[in-house]
Amino acid sequence: MDNLRAPRRAASLSAQVVESLREQITSGAWPVGARIPAEHVLVERLGVGRSTLREALGALVHLGLLEARVGDGTYVRASSELQSALVRRAGASRGDDVLELRAVLEEYAAGAAALRRSDEDLDRLRALADEAGAVARTGDMAAVARTDAGFHEAVVRASGNALLIEMYEHLGAAVSAVLGDLPWDTATVVEHARLHTRLVEAITARDEVGARHCVSVIVALNPGGSTGGED
């Protein structure tokens, strides 16, 4: 908390406290899931009254960044308003809708990755594709879902689109939850891993169309997805 900035004695003191606390959240100093310092600690550190602090905390709760738990303190719920809104909306959506949104984001990201990927991106994708192949044969569906999420997040990162990367990161928890609940069989999981390798090959070759098509096949292969197959 050494970098917790006390507010300037200017207009809207509570708004300045909101920004100071928000900096702690967005910087990762207070990570998602962490309990923030007690009120008396923050009052002393910021040099403001308890009512001003409570007003600022209430604003951050309203924005979805904090969650007040009666008798237990206040916890970081999300690192940004975008994360809060996406997680809340995805959690209230049908699983099929989440997967369709995933398809839209990942198809575009795969095409962009084919055009913009770096050598470091390719090294990361190849390693994750190898890991997906190994995990596919274990029958551990929870591990399959985690590995799949990591691979597709790396594809999105290779797109170089900062806003898309942030949106996908925030949506990732909902996507992983849906995939983890799907009744996959071992043959489907193995085929899914093989398609990961095909996707890496397309991105390596800077084949934008091929990369986008490969993602569409991967998503369609998921249980509950469309029944389309590979051409």
Side-chain angles (χ1 to χ4, degrees), residues 2-226:
D2 291 341
N3 61 341
L4 189 60
R5 180 167 49 83
R8 299 182 306 277
R9 299 296 174 177
S12 188
L13 195 58
S14 65
Q16 294 180 55
V17 174
V18 166
E19 289 308 309
S20 183
L21 299 180
R22 190 203 300 263
E23 287 176 4
Q24 296 296 110
I25 296 170
T26 58
S27 70
W30 294 348
V32 174
R35 182 169 62 181
I36 71 172
E39 278 191 8
H40 73 275
V41 174
L42 293 175
V43 164
E44 180 180 355
R45 178 66 180 84
L46 292 167
V48 299
R50 193 173 294 269
S51 62
T52 297
L53 175 65
R54 288 179 175 173
E55 184 179 350
L57 292 174
L60 291 170
V61 168
H62 180 72
L63 289 172
L65 301 184
L66 294 178
E67 177 185 2
R69 302 178 186 174
V70 178
D72 191 27
T74 302
Y75 287 77
V76 179
R77 183 179 181 184
S79 60
S80 71
E81 292 92 332
L82 178 59
Q83 180 185 22
S84 176
L86 280 174
V87 170
R88 183 171 59 249
R89 184 66 182 87
S93 301
R94 298 185 309 125
D96 285 350
D97 291 344
V98 174
L99 292 177
E100 286 179 11
L101 178 57
R102 175 202 182 202
V104 170
L105 296 179
E106 289 187 9
E107 285 182 34
Y108 176 83
L115 299 178
R116 302 170 183 165
R117 89 293 187 279
S118 65
D119 291 341
E120 291 77 12
D121 291 327
L122 292 179
D123 289 342
R124 176 66 173 161
L125 289 171
R126 287 168 183 149
L128 287 169
D130 290 343
E131 181 181 349
V135 171
R137 292 169 174 80
T138 67
D140 184 345
M141 295 309 163
V144 167
R146 288 194 301 270
T147 303
D148 181 86
F151 176 84
H152 288 284
E153 182 178 340
V155 172
V156 174
R157 285 189 172 278
S159 75
N161 184 317
L163 182 58
L164 177 60
I165 292 167
E166 182 181 3
M167 180 175 293
Y168 190 84
E169 284 180 348
H170 297 333
L171 189 65
V175 171
S176 295
V178 171
L179 293 177
D181 290 339
L182 293 176
W184 290 28
D185 59 76
T186 302
T188 299
V189 171
V190 170
E191 175 64 8
H192 197 261
R194 185 186 71 82
L195 288 167
H196 281 178
T197 300
R198 290 282 302 277
L199 176 55
V200 174
E201 291 171 352
I203 292 174
T204 301
R206 299 194 185 276
D207 181 359
E208 178 184 5
V209 174
R212 294 182 66 140
H213 173 69
C214 196
V215 168
S216 71
V217 176
I218 289 172
V219 174
L221 188 64
N222 292 331
S226 64

